[in-house]
Amino acid sequence: MTATLAPPVTAPATRQHEGFAGTGTLLRLALRRDRIVASIWILLFVIMAASSSSASQDLYTTLESRVRAANAVNDTPATLALYGRVFDPTSLGAVSLIKLGAMGAALVALVAIFTVVRHTRAEEEAGRLELLGAAVVGRYASLTAALLLATGTSLVLALLTGLSLMGTGLPAAGALAFGLSWAGAGIAFAAVGALAAQVTESARTARGLAAAVLAAAYLLRAAGDATGTDTSTWLSWVSPIGWAQQVRPFAGDRWWVLMYLVAFAVLVAAGAYALAARRDHGAGLLAQKPGRATASPSLSSPLALAVRLQRGSVVGWLVGMAIGGLVLGSIASQVGEFLDTDQARDMIMKLGGERGIVDAFLSAEMGILAVVVSAFGISSAMRLRSEETALRVEPILATRIGRFRWAASHVVVALAGTTLLMIAVGVFGGFAHGAASGDMGAMGRVVVAALVQLPSVWVLTGITVLVFGAAPGLVMAGWGALVAFLLLGQLGPIFELPQWAMDISPFTHTPKLPGAEFTATPLVWLTVVAAALVAAGLAAFRRRDVG
Amino acid sequence: MTTAISVSGLVKTFGRTRALDGLDLTVRTGEVHGFLGPNGSGKSTTIRVLLGLLRADAGETRLLGGDPWADATSLHRRLAYVPGDVSLWPNLSGGEVIDLLGRLRGGLDTRRRADLLERFDLDPTKKGRTYSKGNRQKVALVAALASNVELLILDEPTSGLDPLMEAVFQDCVTEERERGRTVLLSSHILAEVESLCDRVSIIRLGRTVETGTLSELRHLTRTSIAAELAAAPNGIADHPGVHDLKVDGSQVRFDVDTKELDSVLKRLTSVGVRSLTSQPPTLEELFLRHYEADMAAENGRHGGARSDQNNTGVAK
Ligand SMILES: Nc1ncnc2c1ncn2[C@@H]1O[C@H](COP(=O)(O)OP(=O)(O)OP(=O)(O)O)[C@@H](O)[C@H]1O
Ligand SMILES: [Mg+2]
């Protein structure tokens, strides 16, 4: 692998630049490692934008149909919260790409976070950076290389997306603005990832922290978009994802808003550099405190160990989900005050809710939060693989603990964790909704609406466990499944996919509560599927090599 | 039962890499058995098969009278393992790891734990990542040595230990042997192997090339002889077991297989010896010979396929 590295970079003369020595080498190494993954995800986003644009153009052939679709989105708080506002209902581009604006920007941001953390903190944690750090590599080199990589790939993505949108017949300026709004979000959150990587000692925590900031940004703009009457409120203007939307591609192309994103990225990255200058290699901001000299009596089983290893992240997620529930629960009651035009009704019927705007909003939000909780389930189950590759499972399996018990303990934590999180969503969301609407009786309905999401969430945990057991090298496929289901649900209707295709996603089967009728059958089936996936994964793990 | 571990014809492949290629290994109950071989020769792979972590492709493997794959969990109650790469959980202290592993194994001798912590001078309150490499190794060692088991499987247990701790480790293993425990010790430290092991097995390219007691192996080494004779030597060159002969008038210099030493000396004295120096055989020489043969075979047979063995690094 080293053979592909360029000869050592000559050290710059001035002291100030020494910190950046080796950046070029590291960047080439990162490109070498990421070339396939990066190409795939860039391609995926480009195809997603282009195909969604051309499919929508087939759908909205007349100006009238376009305006009707746009108004349906703009008049429904649930869709406003989910996607944002169509700033120009007459614009073909704005209507076609509404579902990919904020959501696509958030996905690009997520990829940027993972990219930066992977090449900074993850490398440092694995001790590989130390190997390189001893060569002519400055203190800022890996940080700079990771930021350059994320920025570069974001810009390439922007350009290709713009070109492909032009190819589908949309105006050039809007197409470029759309691509750049994605790239802007990517660059802004690359900086957030860089900062998180300086603060925490583990890559896992860094990713979690940055993703939490991203979720907060998305929620802020959701609140801002859903509660504004004709336009977004200030809440959308304190969120980088909100800024990406406010570029308003195909609806004014406000290039200057991109400067917000760039300025944000520069500020946050400056913070990351300031921390990098002060901290020790391998350390975070907080020094490790000494631990106990002996283990507490309860730390005596693989389950106790799994709980101990994951409890920090479960608590963090619980706080996040409780806040998410509170915010959405309190917005929900305001949503009811908004108008109910024919188009909005139409949209609501499509969303599956029957009893009213509030219920449709709540059920849509529960769907979103279920996707977020699924992410926890996947990352929690992926602990199995990271413990294995870190060689920490061998000493455990060399005791009388069998593979089944060890693997099952992490699966139990993943399943129990997702359950706890959905309960938190339901209880806090229901409480806020009940308090705001003056009807505490509504709380129970919201809790049930949260809990019916669980079987779908477990299916994703099950998929991750199956891949871990059967094809451990592909364990990232758990994330792939989540993205695929998400896209299927969002884009399926645009492409008018047949029902069997939509049925692949477990989320299609979840009853749209509150509002729709409760049916137990799909929930039972989803639970059975999840259990079968877990069982198959554990059985496969018992038969394969460890390591 | 007199054999703790018996392996014959063990084969393990990873894709195109043939990591174990018909390996044989017999460890008798109660002995300390050295397990040697160049980097990448398959020591850790063998140990992982013995622990039931890897599934053998072919061959017979018995561990403490059971099958390491099928009876893994019941066998593991009776053994303790120290991995070559010790990786600790970042947020658990060393003391917690020792207790956890001990409990999972089915019990820990707390008196011995305290004793070992003191002898290894290990602070059990530090968290995983704040340990130095040697101290991480000590955590795994204390966890293994403090448990009541019949068999210890140690994969390069002293890599990273300072000489003082190396001595403590050797004392501990000696005590273990006195208690009747069996030890399989993979190591690159020949002095450690010489002072601890009853028998050793040397492997290369996934195959056993030598096995026996140290004195048997010593017998396979060569003694270096330099002598000044009364007259020019005759017949030495064709004598079996003589290598690298250099003759300069009546001066000779050569290596001889230790088992031929006696008859070669008789031949020399029949000519008349004026002075003689001999260098005793070392195990190191034996190992180097095998390890170098490994590199030669490597370059001939495998080409670049098993390139991680190229850094076998024994210069002479
Ligand atoms: N999981 C794996 N996948 C592919 N190849 C492997 C795997 N594990 C080991 N190998 C290969 O098997 C061979 C034997 O490796 P092993 O780790 O057993 O060597 P070793 O004798 O322990 O070496 P060392 O002295 O360096 O510890 C090597 O060529 C190695 O590259
Ligand atoms: Mg090894």
Side-chain angles (χ1 to χ4, degrees):
Chain A
M1 207 198 331
T2 39
T4 60
L5 292 182
V9 180
T10 42
T14 59
R15 263 190 83 68
Q16 203 182 359
H17 289 147
E18 268 166 27
F20 293 93
T23 303
T25 315
L26 287 186
L27 183 59
R28 273 189 291 271
L29 174 63
L31 275 171
R32 167 80 177 70
R33 290 178 60 204
D34 271 9
R35 61 189 172 175
I36 294 175
V37 180
S39 318
I40 290 177
W41 75 256
I42 288 179
L43 207 68
L44 218 66
F45 278 95
V46 170
I47 291 173
M48 192 165 82
S51 56
S52 157
S53 153
S54 60
S56 308
Q57 291 183 36
D58 295 344
L59 212 58
Y60 310 126
T61 40
T62 63
L63 178 66
E64 202 191 2
S65 66
R66 216 179 292 158
V67 172
R68 182 143 33 88
N71 285 341
V73 173
N74 287 350
D75 294 345
T76 315
T79 48
L80 280 176
L82 216 54
Y83 308 122
R85 186 171 290 279
V86 181
F87 290 105
D88 178 0
T90 62
S91 156
L92 181 60
V95 179
S96 302
L97 292 168
I98 177 65
K99 288 192 172 178
L100 286 181
M103 212 167 258
L107 286 175
V108 174
L110 201 63
V111 174
I113 289 171
F114 273 65
T115 306
V116 169
V117 173
R118 169 175 148 84
H119 291 289
T120 52
R121 180 56 75 176
E123 284 296 286
E124 196 168 329
E125 196 181 12
R128 283 189 290 266
L129 208 51
E130 200 165 338
L131 206 62
L132 296 169
V136 188
V137 170
R139 166 185 293 280
Y140 308 119
S142 77
L143 180 58
T144 313
L147 283 172
L148 286 176
L149 177 70
T151 306
T153 43
S154 295
L155 289 175
V156 170
L157 169 72
L159 196 69
L160 293 180
T161 305
L163 286 174
S164 75
L165 288 178
M166 275 179 235
T168 68
L170 292 177
L176 193 60
F178 184 84
L180 285 176
S181 76
W182 273 6
I187 293 165
F189 280 93
V192 172
L195 185 63
Q198 307 309 313
V199 174
T200 67
E201 246 180 62
S202 92
R204 178 187 311 278
T205 325
R207 279 190 291 262
L209 195 65
V213 174
L214 174 60
Y218 201 86
L219 280 178
L220 277 174
R221 66 132 287 278
D225 287 351
T227 53
T229 3
D230 273 329
T231 175
S232 319
T233 68
W234 62 273
L235 280 172
S236 300
W237 281 96
V238 292
S239 156
I241 299 294
W243 298 331
Q245 290 177 297
Q246 295 297 335
V247 173
R248 301 192 178 179
F250 307 104
D253 301 332
R254 302 195 294 182
W255 305 99
W256 55 270
V257 183
L258 288 170
M259 292 316 296
Y260 277 70
L261 287 161
V262 174
F264 175 84
V266 168
L267 271 176
V268 175
Y273 278 98
L275 288 181
R278 277 164 190 74
R279 70 179 181 85
D280 291 339
H281 183 93
L285 275 190
L286 302 169
Q288 287 267 16
K289 290 193 299 265
R292 307 168 53 106
T294 56
S296 78
S298 61
L299 186 61
S300 57
S301 68
L303 184 60
L305 176 63
V307 169
R308 171 71 189 274
L309 294 177
Q310 298 209 32
R311 71 178 176 202
S313 100
V314 172
V315 168
W317 276 81
L318 266 179
V319 172
M321 287 296 112
I323 294 174
L326 282 175
V327 170
L328 293 173
S330 44
I331 297 174
S333 45
Q334 297 178 31
V335 160
E337 293 156 16
F338 290 97
L339 45 96
D340 43 348
T341 59
D342 288 350
Q343 292 94 332
R345 282 241 171 279
D346 201 40
M347 194 73 194
I348 291 155
M349 297 305 282
K350 266 196 207 151
L351 278 168
E354 280 150 15
R355 270 206 229 137
I357 301 176
V358 176
D359 280 359
F361 177 82
L362 280 172
S363 121
E365 295 309 332
M366 287 303 155
I368 294 279
L369 290 175
V371 169
V372 178
V373 172
S374 301
F376 167 82
I378 292 167
S379 89
S380 170
M382 278 187 18
R383 260 293 166 124
L384 289 167
R385 182 61 183 162
S386 59
E387 288 288 295
E388 184 183 356
T389 50
L391 300 177
R392 288 192 286 256
V393 59
E394 293 191 2
I396 300 272
L397 293 182
T399 69
R400 68 195 160 127
I401 303 304
R403 295 171 180 221
F404 182 84
R405 258 189 84 189
W406 170 75
S409 61
H410 280 281
V411 175
V412 166
V413 171
L415 295 179
T418 51
T419 310
L420 264 180
L421 292 177
M422 280 322 292
I423 291 177
V425 165
V427 167
F428 284 89
F431 172 78
H433 177 53
S437 65
D439 170 20
M440 275 323 241
M443 188 164 158
R445 293 198 308 138
V446 178
V447 172
V448 172
L451 292 184
V452 294
Q453 305 286 342
L454 272 173
S456 314
V457 173
W458 293 335
V459 167
L460 280 150
T461 309
I463 291 173
T464 312
V465 175
L466 176 64
V467 182
F468 162 74
L474 304 175
V475 75
M476 281 292 175
W479 292 112
L482 180 63
V483 172
F485 294 156
L486 190 62
L487 293 181
L488 210 55
Q490 298 306 319
L491 302 182
I494 298 183
F495 291 112
E496 298 177 309
L497 289 182
Q499 190 59 35
W500 66 261
M502 300 292 291
D503 282 347
I504 294 172
S505 165
F507 298 109
T508 311
H509 304 277
T510 308
K512 306 273 183 286
L513 294 184
E517 204 167 313
F518 174 83
T519 43
T521 324
L523 299 181
V524 172
W525 274 113
L526 287 171
T527 310
V528 168
V529 169
L533 288 167
V534 167
L538 293 181
F541 176 58
R542 291 177 81 174
R543 238 162 281 136
R544 74 167 167 88
D545 288 347
V546 171
Chain B
M1 187 184 45
T2 52
T3 46
I5 297 173
S6 77
V7 172
S8 67
L10 181 61
V11 175
K12 177 71 197 175
T13 52
F14 298 104
R16 283 177 49 222
T17 315
R18 206 168 169 86
L20 298 180
D21 189 14
L23 183 123
D24 303 308
L25 175 69
T26 306
V27 178
R28 297 180 190 145
T29 302
E31 76 177 0
V32 178
H33 194 101
F35 196 30
L36 298 130
N39 292 133
S41 55
K43 302 180 296 296
S44 300
T45 306
T46 308
I47 288 175
R48 290 199 173 102
V49 170
L50 288 173
L51 291 169
L53 295 167
L54 301 178
R55 187 173 215 167
D57 294 324
E60 268 292 310
T61 320
R62 304 293 289 173
L63 176 79
L64 299 173
D67 178 310
W69 179 269
D71 313 324
T73 49
S74 60
L75 292 175
H76 291 172
R77 287 167 201 270
R78 299 159 58 195
L79 62 84
Y81 165 56
V82 174
D85 283 308
V86 177
S87 163
L88 301 176
W89 293 275
N91 44 357
L92 258 61
S93 71
E96 285 179 302
V97 172
I98 292 170
D99 286 349
L100 174 72
L101 289 178
R103 287 170 191 168
L104 295 184
R105 206 172 277 131
L108 195 77
D109 183 338
T110 45
R111 282 236 318 274
R112 190 147 165 76
R113 176 191 190 272
D115 175 50
L116 286 165
L117 282 180
E118 194 178 313
R119 285 167 74 184
F120 277 110
D121 190 24
L122 178 69
D123 174 2
T125 64
K126 284 199 167 174
K127 297 267 181 77
R129 208 174 292 131
T130 59
Y131 278 117
S132 66
K133 173 171 168 47
N135 283 330
R136 269 201 311 269
Q137 201 71 35
K138 289 184 202 167
V139 170
L141 273 172
V142 172
L145 293 171
S147 46
N148 293 311
V149 290
E150 299 162 36
L151 172 66
L152 291 168
I153 296 184
L154 312 177
D155 192 357
E156 296 182 39
T158 56
S159 64
L161 291 196
D162 65 41
L164 206 63
M165 291 303 139
E166 170 74 46
V168 173
F169 168 77
Q170 295 195 9
D171 289 347
C172 289
V173 172
T174 309
E175 286 164 26
E176 296 297 325
R177 188 191 21 216
E178 280 160 10
R179 293 175 194 204
R181 289 180 186 161
T182 312
V183 180
L184 177 64
L185 172 68
S186 136
S187 178
H188 289 300
I189 300 173
L190 299 174
E192 177 181 291
V193 173
E194 272 197 271
S195 79
L196 290 177
C197 297
D198 304 300
R199 298 199 315 134
V200 305
S201 293
I202 302 175
I203 68 166
R204 106 181 168 230
L205 294 172
R207 224 177 273 168
T208 313
V209 291
E210 214 74 79
T211 183
T213 64
L214 287 177
S215 54
E216 280 165 8
L217 291 186
R218 222 172 240 123
H219 209 65
L220 298 171
T221 57
R222 294 171 190 171
T223 305
S224 303
I225 303 281
E228 192 184 344
L229 305 177
N234 95 65
I236 298 268
D238 321 320
H239 197 284
V242 170
H243 306 270
D244 303 331
L245 176 68
K246 285 194 193 80
V247 183
D248 179 9
S250 60
Q251 308 256 355
V252 290
R253 204 173 258 285
F254 58 90
D255 294 344
V256 55
D257 289 348
T258 306
K259 62 175 187 279
E260 298 291 340
L261 186 60
D262 189 48
S263 66
V264 169
L265 284 181
K266 281 194 181 117
R267 179 66 60 96
L268 292 181
T269 45
S270 73
V271 180
V273 177
R274 290 223 179 102
S275 74
L276 182 139
T277 56
S278 82
Q279 258 176 7
T282 62
L283 265 186
E284 188 147 353
E285 244 181 323
L286 175 74
F287 296 138
L288 291 183
R289 224 167 70 213
H290 279 305
Y291 286 21
E292 277 167 353
D294 181 54
M295 284 178 76
E298 160 86 1
N299 296 336
R301 260 181 35 195
H302 285 258
R306 295 178 52 156
S307 58
D308 70 332
Q309 294 184 346
N310 286 342
N311 50 8
T312 310
V314 273
K316 209 176 175 186

